[in-house]
Amino acid sequence: NVCIFAYGQTGSGKTHTMQGPIDPASQFRGIIPRAMEQVFKTSEDLAEQGWKYVLTASFIEIYNENLHDLIGSGNEKIEIKLVNEKKREVEVTNIRSVIVQNTFDVHELLLKANKNRTVAATKCNERSSRSHSVFRLRIDGKNSKNGDQCTGNLNLVDLAGSERVAQSGSTGQRLKEAQAINTSLSELGNVMMALQEKKTHVPYRNSKLTYLLCNSLGGNSKTLMFVNVSPLDKHTAETINSLRFATKVNRVDLGTAKKNK
């Protein structure tokens, strides 16, 4: 199980890092299209050894601690359910999952998700993502030569902006959004701290984000975080806060991940 985050204040380049331009031919493609290119190439290479993979993608938004399906109808109530407590496996109800077979399929999903994501203007950025977005890929493999099977989960996360309320100039609905974002990011920090200190209880359920990603944070998983910072002098305080969070995350030792069979 693998999780890759982009963390930082609004306008620091998180969405550009994770998605890049919505152009499959661009040299500035982000983590999501590049990761999927790698997955498709590796699955093709392993076909010679008898492996066949089914790749199932979904795209979820977490807005004000509510889940929304970015590629579905958006009419169904979405919930996170724990299906295997020992392995911390969760499933998300009432979302659209799509089998993807090539980069064109992924490009189409990104186009639809971008149209549906919640954005709004703040003082930090005129088009600020007010939600976390999570691109999820489930990989199921079976080897026709020896009968081996394996599963894996890839979560690629574009976090909402981490700036302080006073800095963003948020009021009304924007203020409510900022408070939900900051609470969610604070709980992510608490999970990282609990993992760092090897605590027996890790508070995954304290936020929808950490609960959704619980099988990719700690235990049998690999986690990578990009910390995006602004080059502007006026954002120095937010940059320092981002780097402090990065230092906290960098101290976490998840151990060695093993293959899911």
Side-chain angles (χ1 to χ4, degrees), residues 58-208:
S58 58
F59 218 143
I60 298 170
E61 174 186 65
I62 303 174
Y63 173 70
N64 282 350
E65 281 299 287
N66 293 308
L67 276 68
H68 303 277
D69 187 354
L70 289 177
I71 60 173
S73 65
N75 298 325
E76 301 288 340
K77 183 179 180 180
I78 301 174
E79 295 181 338
I80 305 171
K81 292 187 177 180
L82 188 66
V83 294
N84 188 322
E85 187 168 0
K86 185 177 180 181
K87 294 183 178 180
R88 294 200 307 276
E89 290 183 2
V90 297
E91 68 176 22
V92 184
T93 62
N94 299 321
I95 63 166
R96 184 186 177 207
S97 297
V98 180
I99 293 177
V100 289
Q101 298 179 323
N102 50 54
T103 54
F104 177 79
D105 292 342
V106 175
H107 177 64
E108 290 298 302
L109 290 184
L110 290 178
L111 284 176
K112 186 165 186 177
N114 278 344
K115 290 180 181 178
N116 293 331
R117 191 169 180 193
T118 302
V119 296
T122 72
K123 285 185 178 179
C124 294
N125 190 5
E126 65 177 13
R127 185 171 172 79
S128 172
S129 298
R130 310 311 299 150
S131 63
H132 310 304
S133 71
V134 184
F135 178 87
R136 307 177 80 227
L137 183 74
R138 179 178 172 88
I139 304 172
D140 293 288
K142 186 173 183 179
N143 192 303
S144 59
K145 295 183 178 180
N146 58 25
D148 283 354
Q149 298 185 44
C150 66
T151 62
N153 295 282
L154 175 63
N155 294 284
L156 304 175
V157 187
D158 179 5
L159 295 171
S162 62
E163 69 275 352
R164 292 165 295 177
V165 171
Q167 181 75 13
S168 66
S170 300
T171 59
Q173 181 64 21
R174 300 291 85 81
L175 176 60
K176 181 181 177 182
E177 293 168 351
Q179 290 170 336
I181 290 167
N182 289 339
T183 298
S184 179
L185 293 174
S186 177
E187 293 299 342
L188 176 61
N190 291 339
V191 166
M192 293 298 182
M193 184 65 71
L195 291 171
Q196 176 193 333
E197 296 176 356
K198 310 292 185 184
K199 290 186 176 179
T200 55
H201 172 70
V202 180
Y204 293 112
R205 296 197 187 204
N206 285 4
S207 82
K208 295 291 178 62

